[in-house]
Amino acid sequence: MRGQGWQIQRTQANISDSLLIKGGRVIDPANNIDQIADVLIVDGKIAAVADEVNFSAHFNYNAEGKIVTPGLIDMHVHFREPGQEAKEDFGSGSRAAVAGGYTTVATMPNTSPVIDNAALVRSMMARAEVEDLINIKIIGALTKGQRGEELAELRDMIAEGVVAFSDDGHFDSNAKIFMNALDYLNGTDKVVICHEEETSLVEGGIMNEGKRSAILGMKGRPTVAEDIAVARDALLAEYTGGRVHIAHISSARSVEIVRDAKKRGVKITAEVTPQHLTMTEDLVNPADSSTKINPPLRTQKDCDALLAGLKDGTIDAIVTDHSPHAPEEKDREYMYAPSGIPGLETALGVLMTDLVLPGKIDLPTLISKMTCEPAKIFGLDAGTLSVGAWADITVINPDLEWTVDADKFYTRGSHSPFVGRTLKGRAVATIVHGNLMRLL
């Protein structure tokens, strides 16, 4: 049974009650807070953050030895609705998010049908309200059917509440149409999330192109395919004054391109995944499709550049690109298996184990990349513990050691390259609008 051994349950607390989180290390990068403090929640919102809060709350949570942060935000997930519910749905995806410490996610539109019109956005917003475990945001397709031939109903979808646009999973090769989209969206606060791979250079490729792919006899996807696409979109953003956001950046050269563009004042931001930060092509095993992702795992040089870009602000956010597939789809030969892995339940543990504990990045920087910085990019009312903000909070036990077990996942995807690893650090409570979800 999925999730066995850990249970998500909503406490009897609701937004009309009060909750006092006592004595945790509060890290709130949006307000430059990193101290031992109490956090008081009243009526679903932050009422106080102070050294000591004297308040007779309905519920008390002892956070001594734990870390209290704004709720984690993931602006790149695939919850697969509508039409692909065998892989994931809003219910299973939401439970996976809670287990991973995420309170807000944005789901991509490459579904069946594609989310490319106002009616589908309304339908997905209604589904999100029904699930009601976390805040689910909707990303709309940039072009109709994600075919790159004609702009989708952008303004109508904005009116229905989309937070961004993307043809994720597809590179928009028609530069004129892409430029028209940036022009059209000027004057709005919406950003275009770009999947960057020049299609003609990656067709048929299943891993990073290089020495490792040659040894394994597997067709590669070269980093230059990403670099060319990132450079083009940076130039189009500069020319139009539009906003672009580079999805799952993976190459060292692309990091340089984004860094240089930012120095010129281009409205460009970027995200990176835990897998691209911590894993390399050396882990690719033709007998194990769990390492097949898109873009593919790169070299150690690329990993190092991604980490440097994360630390110096070139890369703004960490996302999971949570992309579960049905077991029977992924359990095939590497060549034929689809790209993508589940990531919501493992991301925090992987990042704390592989980056924070070895001292490669400090915890406040990590938390900022998973809270306030993505909130700023996408204009979300989230990512902060400011008084008056919605009480979306993650409580982390940094000392908790646990082993990744696919049988205990809430997601429907089971093929994770992190299965079997012992990690240190995990979300032990997730609070959404003042409602406390416990992991027992």
Side-chain angles (χ1 to χ4, degrees):
M1 178 181 177
R2 287 294 187 189
Q4 66 182 23
W6 293 82
Q7 292 184 350
I8 294 175
Q9 67 177 39
R10 193 187 300 262
T11 69
Q12 294 304 307
N14 56 58
I15 62 172
S16 64
D17 294 322
S18 55
L19 170 66
L20 182 58
I21 303 172
K22 294 285 294 181
R25 178 186 172 188
V26 177
I27 300 178
D28 180 12
N31 291 304
N32 295 313
I33 294 174
D34 184 358
Q35 65 184 70
I36 303 300
D38 298 345
V39 179
L40 176 63
I41 301 166
V42 177
D43 295 335
K45 295 189 174 182
I46 305 293
V49 178
D51 292 342
E52 186 173 356
V53 175
N54 294 311
F55 187 89
S56 181
H58 290 91
F59 297 87
N60 290 289
Y61 185 98
N62 182 2
E64 291 184 11
K66 299 180 177 66
I67 299 163
V68 181
T69 76
L72 302 185
I73 296 171
D74 188 348
M75 297 307 292
H76 191 145
V77 304
H78 298 266
F79 276 4
R80 305 300 193 187
E81 287 197 40
Q84 301 169 2
E85 289 84 356
K87 302 172 184 281
E88 192 80 294
D89 61 24
F90 278 18
S92 59
S94 294
R95 291 188 289 275
V98 169
Y102 289 90
T103 60
T104 299
V105 303
T107 184
M108 284 292 179
N110 53 335
T111 50
S112 182
V114 170
I115 308 299
D116 62 1
N117 61 72
L120 281 169
V121 173
R122 280 196 301 274
S123 175
M124 292 301 97
M125 296 281 281
R127 279 287 296 123
E129 290 180 6
V130 168
E131 288 304 328
D132 195 32
L133 277 180
I134 60 169
N135 307 300
I136 301 176
K137 307 298 183 180
I138 308 301
I139 297 170
L142 189 67
T143 64
K144 290 184 178 180
Q146 293 189 311
R147 291 185 292 271
E149 299 170 353
E150 183 180 358
L151 293 184
E153 298 177 5
L154 304 184
R155 295 276 179 166
D156 289 345
M157 287 191 282
I158 290 174
E160 295 298 332
V162 297
V163 294
F165 294 100
S166 181
D167 279 349
D168 185 55
H170 308 271
F171 173 61
D172 289 304
S173 58
N174 189 314
K176 176 62 174 174
I177 288 176
F178 187 80
M179 186 174 72
N180 288 346
L182 295 179
D183 275 331
Y184 189 76
L185 292 173
N186 260 334
T188 76
D189 62 350
K190 303 308 175 189
V191 64
V192 178
I193 305 172
C194 308
H195 180 110
E196 305 288 36
E197 283 187 302
E198 167 52 52
T199 309
S200 63
L201 295 176
V202 299
E203 207 164 355
I206 57 176
M207 68 171 292
N208 184 54
E209 183 176 272
K211 184 183 296 185
R212 178 71 173 164
S213 65
I215 290 172
L216 295 176
M218 296 165 70
K219 185 171 174 57
R221 303 171 83 95
T223 55
V224 71
E226 178 175 312
D227 303 338
I228 288 171
V230 172
R232 187 206 73 170
D233 290 348
L235 289 171
L236 288 175
E238 185 172 23
Y239 182 74
T240 62
R243 295 180 63 207
V244 297
H245 178 79
I246 309 304
H248 40 51
I249 194 169
S250 71
S251 89
R253 186 71 180 99
S254 289
V255 174
E256 291 179 10
I257 294 167
V258 172
R259 184 180 289 118
D260 290 343
K262 284 191 169 189
K263 290 177 181 177
R264 299 196 307 274
V266 179
K267 297 175 183 176
I268 186 169
T269 52
E271 65 186 38
V272 67
T273 72
Q275 47 270 28
H276 289 110
L277 282 167
T278 65
M279 302 178 69
T280 72
E281 63 179 2
D282 293 334
L283 297 174
V284 171
N285 177 354
D288 179 8
S289 65
S290 70
T291 60
K292 188 177 181 183
I293 59 175
N294 185 16
L297 297 175
R298 304 293 191 185
T299 67
Q300 188 60 54
K301 176 185 175 183
D302 294 303
C303 284
D304 294 342
L306 294 172
L307 181 59
L310 193 69
K311 293 168 70 174
D312 71 15
T314 300
I315 298 174
D316 306 86
I318 296 174
V319 302
T320 66
D321 192 12
H322 176 79
S323 304
H325 294 280
E328 62 271 16
E329 293 178 301
K330 198 70 173 172
D331 194 19
R332 305 170 67 188
E333 294 178 51
Y334 207 97
M335 180 181 298
Y336 302 110
S339 296
I341 59 173
L344 285 167
E345 294 170 77
T346 56
L348 182 61
V350 168
L351 293 166
M352 291 192 69
T353 303
D354 290 351
L355 298 186
V356 176
L357 287 177
K360 295 180 179 181
I361 193 170
D362 63 79
L363 189 55
T365 298
L366 178 70
I367 297 303
S368 72
K369 302 294 184 180
M370 302 175 78
T371 58
C372 60
E373 293 196 45
K376 181 180 178 181
I377 294 168
F378 293 95
L380 305 181
D381 182 17
T384 175
L385 299 180
S386 298
V387 172
W390 281 111
D392 291 345
I393 298 173
T394 302
V395 181
I396 302 164
N397 184 340
D399 299 317
L400 179 61
E401 290 191 352
W402 58 288
T403 301
V404 180
D405 182 349
D407 289 335
K408 295 180 180 179
F409 282 170
Y410 284 96
T411 177
R412 291 183 177 156
S414 58
H415 287 71
S416 165
F418 302 113
V419 167
R421 280 202 59 190
T422 297
L423 304 176
K424 190 172 183 179
R426 190 170 195 178
V428 292
T430 306
I431 298 167
V432 182
H433 281 23
N435 292 304
L436 173 62
M437 316 291 180
R438 292 187 187 275
L439 303 184
L440 303 176

